[in-house]
């Protein structure tokens, strides 16, 4: 082979490598918690100073009509799967409805199976046991807290956002520093590791979720303006995030990864406390939208979304078409040359044509709901679950109709003037609901007796309530006036002898149960023991056959009965 031919071959190989690098960028997906569309200075906020978010916005393509779900888990579930949360099993934040169905394919699994190394740092909120925890859903490197918040039931005692105990690949570990700082530290560690593979980082932060707390230097300026404590801390948490974002972007620049890394920034729902709480609230700001976190009005689900890939996407441009969090998985499969999962029908669309400046884009219709334990169809009249139907022109909210292009604050209900539009949008909603609810609210079950996790532990947050509501705040565990109960949906994966340890308080903070009698039922098994009020736990053993079952407990005292708030189940291996 001549020297000239060798040179040509070498050039072609170099071009192929270069093209491959462009086609397979690193990917960082940042999801903040409870930060609304207007909670950024360049989005119009009068008091915030977020120079790093402002810079990211300037260097990105902005998705201006971008929507998520109005709560934590549903947004994370839809983002990870590209499918409606009502389809994939994780449509609520507790009650066993915060866990993805086991057969769902996650974004992390797609990246991992396509040759990426995968890391997740922060708030998962899609299940903490096998097979639901992030280390079982495609993430190779994980540091996270459990449940829906750092301090909630299911997390170690003493967690308060500072110097907390989190879980590294399932093992408890004490970390020094503020929560957001820690999760960015772990992201930087992961990025710095030497590896030939491109990386995928999922950085779903727990901030700015309550309890609103951050170091004084972040909240003091807002308090001095006259803001109340929660809002001052909330805005201070955003400025701490901004500072950490600057550290991350500086690291990418220093390592010459700017043009090799696709960065997506978004929030999981509308603002928690940034909005006007009352008409005369002089510090409230929500970018002119109605509603906030939890609402199916615009302010509950329209959030910021910035997409930066230097050299590939046009900085400072905006997409005005309707887009959503379900779009990202099919889009990233295209942008990163990933292997698409077989037999998976995405509810999202590949928005690469929009990101590249295309204007020929079809009309779309989105559906947003706030479901609880069992899926219920929304109604146009009478009591109903909150739901909304979104098109480019219209927003139908619980039977009300708003022409969003001329009424962004959703003040003028025009349903009476457009009954045909209401009827057509509701018919579309009915078809959607029949489709996504075809599983008939099937349980996502706790798997007992597996080799992967034995024993397994779960809590009151995870039961399906029968008396009262689910609790998630640790002080509620000690409320003697609270008589509530529920059951856990479980799957006995292997027949055999099992031990059940039940208690009112967690192992790391044991206290007397205050009960005189304890009962446990699982399937046909009915077990009962008398105990002393000073006893901190009680154990039962029984033989179980493999298969699905319902597990219920009762702690009886002089005032009534409540369920056991903590359960550990162990298969007795011979």
């Amino acid at each position: 082979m001549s020297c000239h031919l060798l040179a040509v071959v070498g050039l072609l190989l170099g071009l192929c490598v270069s093209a491959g690098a462009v086609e397979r960028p690193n990917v960082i997906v940042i999801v903040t918690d409870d930060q609304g569309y207007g909670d950024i200075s360049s989005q119009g906020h009068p008091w915030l100073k977020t120079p790093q978010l402002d810079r990211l916005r300037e260097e990105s393509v902005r998705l201006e009509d971008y929507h998520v779900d109005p709560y934590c888990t549903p947004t994370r579930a839809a983002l990870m799967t590209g499918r409606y949360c009502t389809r994939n099993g994780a449509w609520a934040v507790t009650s066993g409805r915060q866990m993805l169905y086991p057969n769902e394919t996650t974004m992390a699994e797609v990246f991992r199976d396509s040759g990426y190394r995968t890391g997740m740092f922060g708030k998962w909120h899609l299940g903490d046991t096998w097979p639901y925890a992030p280390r079982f859903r495609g993430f190779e490197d994980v540091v996270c807290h459990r449940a829906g918040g750092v301090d909630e039931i299911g997390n170690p005692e003493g967690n308060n956002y500072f110097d907390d105990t989190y879980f590294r690949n399932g093992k408890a570990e004490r970390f020094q520093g503020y929560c957001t700082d820690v999760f960015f530290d772990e992201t930087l560690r992961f990025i710095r590791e030497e590896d030939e593979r491109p990386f995928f980082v999922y950085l779903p932060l727990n901030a700015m979720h309550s309890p609103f707390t951050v170091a004084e230097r972040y909240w003091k300026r807002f308090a001095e303006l006259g803001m109340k404590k929660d809002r001052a801390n909330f805005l201070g948490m955003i400025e701490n995030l901004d500072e950490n974002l600057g550290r991350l972007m500086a690291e990418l620049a220093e390592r010459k990864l700017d043009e090799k890394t696709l960065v997506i920034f978004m929030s999981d729902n509308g603002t928690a406390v940034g909005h006007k709480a009352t008409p005369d609230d002089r510090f409230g700001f929500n970018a002119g939208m109605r509603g906030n976190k939890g609402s199916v009005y615009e302010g509950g689900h329209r959030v910021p979304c910035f997409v930066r890939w230097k050299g590939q996407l046009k900085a400072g441009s905006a997409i005005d078409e309707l887009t959503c969090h379900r779009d990202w998985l099919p889009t990233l499969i295209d942008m990163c040359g990933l292997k698409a999962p077989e037999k998976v029908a995405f509810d999202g669309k590949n928005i690469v044509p929009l990101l590249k400046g295309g204007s020929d884009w079809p009309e779309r219709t989105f559906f947003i709901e706030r479901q609880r334990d069992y899926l219920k169809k929304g109604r146009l009249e009478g009591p109903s679950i909150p739901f909304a139907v979104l098109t480019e022109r219209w927003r139908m909210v619980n039977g009300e109709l708003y022409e969003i292009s001329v009424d962004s604050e959703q003040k003028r209900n025009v349903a009476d003037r457009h009954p045909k539009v209401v009827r057509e949008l509701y018919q579309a909603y009915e078809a959607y609901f029949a489709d996504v609810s075809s599983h008939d609210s099937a349980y996502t079950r706790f798997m007992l007796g597996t080799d992967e996790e034995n024993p397994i532990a779960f809590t009151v947050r995870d039961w399906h309530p029968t008396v009262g509501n689910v609790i998630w705040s640790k002080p509620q565990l000690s409320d003697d006036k609270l008589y509530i109960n529920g059951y856990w949906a479980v799957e006995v994966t292997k027949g055999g002898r099992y031990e059940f340890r039940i208690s009112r308080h967690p192992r790391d903070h044991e206290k007397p149960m205050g009960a005189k009698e304890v009962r446990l039922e699982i399937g046909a098994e009915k077990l009962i023991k008398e105990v002393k009020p000073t006893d901190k736990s009680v154990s039962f053993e029984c033989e179980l056959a493999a298969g699905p079952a319902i597990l219920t407990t009762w702690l009886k005292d002089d005032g009534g009965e409540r369920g056991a708030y903590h359960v550990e189940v162990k298969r007795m291996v011979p």
Side-chain angles (χ1 to χ4, degrees), residues 136 153 157 185 213 219 245 264 280 297 323 355 380 399 411 562:
F136 304 125
I153 294 170
E157 192 65 26
D185 286 344
T213 182
W219 60 255
L245 179 65
I264 300 169
D280 61 348
Y297 289 102
T323 55
L355 293 172
L380 287 179
K411 289 183 175 181
R562 64 174 59 85

Side-chain angles (χ1 to χ4, degrees), residues 317-333:
S317 60
I319 294 172
D320 294 321
E321 287 83 357
L322 204 57
T323 55
C324 71
H325 52 331
R326 293 178 297 274
D327 295 336
W328 282 118
L329 184 48
T331 298
L332 290 171
I333 287 172

Side-chain angles (χ1 to χ4, degrees), residues 269-284:
N269 49 244
T271 187
V273 295
H275 61 291
K276 280 185 176 292
T278 60
D280 61 348
D281 180 358
R282 66 190 180 99
F283 292 115

Side-chain angles (χ1 to χ4, degrees), residues 373-436:
D373 194 344
Y374 298 92
L375 293 183
K376 294 182 179 180
K377 185 171 68 174
R379 300 167 54 189
L380 287 179
E381 297 178 355
S384 175
I385 61 105
F387 77 100
V389 183
L390 284 60
T391 70
E392 297 283 354
R393 180 180 179 184
W394 302 106
R395 302 290 194 265
M396 187 181 79
V397 182
N398 300 326
E400 301 168 0
L401 185 68
Y402 301 94
E403 191 169 5
I404 200 68
S405 59
V406 296
D407 181 20
S408 60
E409 296 183 67
Q410 295 176 293
K411 289 183 175 181
R412 298 183 296 278
N413 176 12
V414 295
D416 291 344
R417 291 166 49 191
H418 300 278
K420 183 180 177 182
V421 173
V422 173
R423 189 163 57 251
E424 289 175 347
L425 293 179
Y426 188 68
Q427 288 172 349
Y429 169 75
E430 287 185 306
Y432 145 84
F433 187 84
D435 179 25
V436 300

Side-chain angles (χ1 to χ4, degrees), residues 300-318:
H301 48 82
R302 182 183 169 213
V303 299
C305 185
F306 309 146
V307 191
R308 189 191 87 152
W309 186 5
K310 282 198 168 183
Q312 298 297 317
L313 299 179
K314 184 179 179 182
S317 60

Side-chain angles (χ1 to χ4, degrees), residues 14-211:
L15 290 173
C16 289
V17 170
S18 176
V22 170
E23 291 171 2
R24 292 173 61 83
N26 304 308
V27 176
I28 302 174
V29 178
I30 305 169
V31 180
T32 60
D33 201 327
D34 292 356
Q35 180 182 13
Y37 178 91
D39 292 329
I40 299 170
S41 59
S42 55
Q43 301 275 89
H45 200 284
W47 298 282
L48 271 169
K49 296 178 181 178
T50 55
Q52 302 304 327
L53 279 166
D54 298 347
R55 179 183 174 189
L56 179 63
R57 183 179 186 271
E58 292 172 0
E59 295 176 348
S60 297
V61 177
R62 304 189 311 277
L63 276 58
E64 287 293 348
D65 199 4
Y66 179 79
H67 297 263
V68 294
D69 287 281
Y71 267 126
C72 311
T73 287
T75 290
R76 287 162 167 75
L79 174 66
M80 283 291 103
T81 63
R83 289 155 60 83
Y84 277 107
C85 63
T86 36
R87 191 191 301 281
N88 65 34
W91 58 73
V93 297
T94 58
S95 306
R97 302 303 189 180
Q98 75 280 15
M99 302 183 292
L100 283 173
Y101 285 143
N103 61 346
E104 290 288 331
T105 301
T106 71
M107 184 181 289
E109 289 169 321
V110 174
F111 272 101
R112 180 200 62 193
D113 295 347
S114 299
Y116 277 68
R117 60 191 184 99
T118 57
M120 178 260 164
F121 312 103
K123 171 178 173 174
W124 177 239
H125 207 181
L126 295 174
D128 300 318
T129 62
W130 188 87
Y132 311 110
R135 67 186 187 279
F136 304 125
R137 301 308 289 254
F139 289 103
E140 301 164 321
D141 192 332
V142 176
V143 174
C144 67
H145 64 80
R146 290 177 172 168
V150 165
D151 64 327
E152 291 183 2
I153 294 170
N155 285 285
E157 192 65 26
N159 276 13
N160 64 359
Y161 284 40
F162 296 91
D163 303 333
D164 293 334
T165 297
Y166 306 130
F167 295 85
R168 186 185 297 278
N169 301 319
K171 304 294 184 183
E173 180 179 329
R174 186 72 177 270
F175 290 82
Q176 295 297 311
Y178 183 65
C179 54
T180 306
D181 301 341
V182 169
F183 296 136
F184 271 92
D185 286 344
E186 290 298 314
T187 297
L188 294 175
R189 171 193 59 78
F190 182 77
I191 289 172
R192 289 166 183 157
E193 291 178 356
E194 296 295 330
D195 198 303
E196 294 181 354
R197 296 173 296 166
F199 61 76
F200 166 60
V201 170
Y202 178 42
L203 181 54
L205 302 167
N206 63 294
M208 281 41 72
H209 195 282
S210 63

